[in-house]
Amino acid sequence: TIKGESGLVLADLIIGKSYEDREGFHLVRVPGQKRVYGASLDLDLSTSFSDWIEADLLKVEKEEIRSVVLKDYSIDERTGRLDQRDELAILKGDDDSWSAPGILETQEVDKYKMNNLIKALDELAIVGVRPKPEGLTASLQQSNQGIKLSTQDMLNLQGKGYYFAKDGRLLSNEGELQVTTAKGVVYTLRFGEVAFGTGVAVSAGGADELERKGPGENRYLFITASFNAAVFPEPELPAHTDYLEKPDSLWTADDYRMKSLQVEHDNWQKNMGEGRVLSNELNNRFANWYYVISADSFDKVHLTRVDVLKDKPEPPPDQ
């Protein structure tokens, strides 16, 4: 589908294989119609998945990340029992240092490994996508229709490594990672089942995937976005706005203070509004798809406490 700048559709064709070994000719069909044509096409179109997908998956800047929560758990697929092994919250300080409340006094966050994790999140790339069940997509897009999942939809989720807990939480069989940004957006990355196959079976799914054939070098990733209002504590409201009724040349010290409080509160409302809009846009973007990431990307972002903590250096001996 080729569109102009205004969104007007200029061409909408399904282009197939070459036609009867005639150079430059392809089988072509108009969407919604059964008739297939042989047409001469002079188009340089790539069919590579990587050439068409948005490369910046999360759309988050490294400098914006304020906290990371590693949720290390798994699910017994036979019994549905949750094995909650560990949960570690890591916070970023104003001086770009990292801390983790509740860890041992002899431990500290490994800044080098945390920076590598943040870099991996910023550069996270996908190698394939799969459509989610319509009922789940609607609920993730905050539809008022509610969650309507058939047995087939539930099997679809479970086949990717995702399960609903009794309390309604969506869980994954390889744990999850939560990232909060300075804009109040909370990304939740749920790590699911191994994705099998090669080629098109990886990028778009196919028989190889359904039959679990081929190498399992990739992993399903389920992403949601939400807004955390706690990132923006509400500032003090001005007690009055008397300064609006007189020229600033007559403002008292109290008027100036009220004006300053009002500006601060207006900025707070602006940040809250922008954060909510951004999180909704991201969530709608993520709602339609399971993503597939490479094993290398999975290893870089699927970390546990052992991966990000280290022992503090021994203090120098007393002189």
Side-chain angles (χ1 to χ4, degrees):
T1 302
I2 301 176
K3 298 180 180 180
E5 291 184 1
S6 62
L8 178 68
V9 176
L10 305 178
D12 191 9
L13 299 170
I14 299 173
I15 303 171
K17 297 179 180 180
S18 58
Y19 176 61
E20 295 182 352
D21 298 325
R22 296 180 63 181
E23 186 177 353
F25 277 72
H26 284 262
L27 296 173
V28 177
R29 182 167 65 83
V30 177
Q33 298 183 15
K34 294 183 178 180
R35 179 169 294 180
V36 178
Y37 302 87
S40 174
L41 297 176
D42 184 16
L43 297 175
D44 183 17
L45 294 178
S46 168
T47 57
S48 173
F49 177 82
S50 60
D51 289 337
W52 291 94
I53 196 69
E54 168 62 65
D56 188 358
L57 179 59
L58 297 182
K59 291 188 176 296
V60 61
E61 299 295 331
K62 293 182 292 185
E63 296 75 16
E64 294 179 354
I65 295 177
R66 290 293 176 266
S67 70
V68 175
V69 180
L70 309 179
K71 296 189 175 184
D72 180 19
Y73 66 81
S74 62
I75 298 173
D76 186 318
E77 298 180 20
R78 185 177 59 84
T79 64
R81 189 178 70 87
L82 174 66
D83 180 13
Q84 182 74 56
R85 292 185 290 262
D86 189 25
E87 183 170 320
L88 179 68
I90 309 168
L91 312 177
K92 188 177 184 180
D94 294 334
D95 58 353
D96 289 338
S97 63
W98 293 94
S99 62
I103 63 176
L104 298 175
E105 293 184 0
T106 57
Q107 292 182 315
E108 63 183 5
V109 177
D110 190 324
K111 184 176 181 180
Y112 173 76
K113 291 185 177 180
M114 278 303 300
N115 288 341
N116 282 343
L117 170 59
I118 301 305
K119 183 174 183 290
L121 288 168
D122 181 41
E123 298 175 352
L124 187 64
I126 60 177
V127 296
V129 292
R130 305 288 189 278
K132 288 175 182 169
E134 291 184 3
L136 179 60
T137 295
S139 68
L140 292 171
Q141 291 175 329
Q142 301 178 343
S143 168
N144 57 11
Q145 298 176 3
I147 300 178
K148 299 178 181 179
L149 295 180
S150 65
T151 301
Q152 189 62 35
D153 293 338
M154 294 298 292
L155 291 174
N156 181 287
L157 271 168
Q158 293 173 13
K160 306 294 189 296
Y162 302 104
Y163 304 81
F164 278 104
K166 292 181 179 180
D167 60 4
R169 287 183 300 154
L170 180 63
L171 303 173
S172 48
N173 63 2
E174 287 297 332
E176 60 189 68
L177 173 70
Q178 285 188 341
V179 179
T180 302
T181 72
K183 294 180 180 179
V185 177
V186 180
Y187 296 86
T188 301
L189 283 67
R190 297 179 175 90
F191 305 107
E193 189 58 78
V194 171
F196 291 86
T198 59
V200 176
V202 170
S203 61
D208 282 350
E209 176 196 30
L210 296 177
E211 298 172 15
R212 293 186 171 238
K213 293 181 179 179
E217 298 177 351
N218 304 289
R219 180 76 59 166
Y220 289 112
L221 179 65
F222 191 121
I223 309 175
T224 54
S226 59
F227 179 70
N228 182 6
V231 171
F232 300 108
E234 183 175 3
E236 179 185 353
L237 272 169
H240 61 80
T241 56
D242 296 347
Y243 60 88
L244 295 175
E245 301 174 2
K246 51 187 173 182
D248 55 8
S249 60
L250 299 178
W251 283 6
T252 65
D254 185 58
D255 289 329
Y256 278 104
R257 180 174 180 273
M258 293 302 107
K259 172 63 175 177
S260 176
L261 290 176
Q262 186 63 57
V263 169
E264 187 176 355
H265 201 272
D266 289 346
N267 288 335
W268 170 78
Q269 289 184 316
K270 177 175 177 290
N271 290 332
M272 290 280 286
E274 291 178 347
R276 286 197 172 97
V277 168
L278 177 58
S279 65
N280 286 337
E281 289 176 351
L282 288 167
N283 205 47
N284 286 335
R285 178 188 175 200
F286 300 143
N288 292 295
W289 307 103
Y290 302 107
Y291 296 99
V292 181
I293 59 174
S294 67
D296 181 60
S297 291
F298 175 69
D299 290 340
K300 290 178 179 177
V301 298
H302 184 249
L303 304 181
T304 64
R305 177 185 298 260
V306 175
D307 298 313
V308 297
L309 298 183
K310 66 178 182 178
D311 292 331
K312 290 181 179 179
E314 291 289 338
D318 295 335
Q319 299 296 323

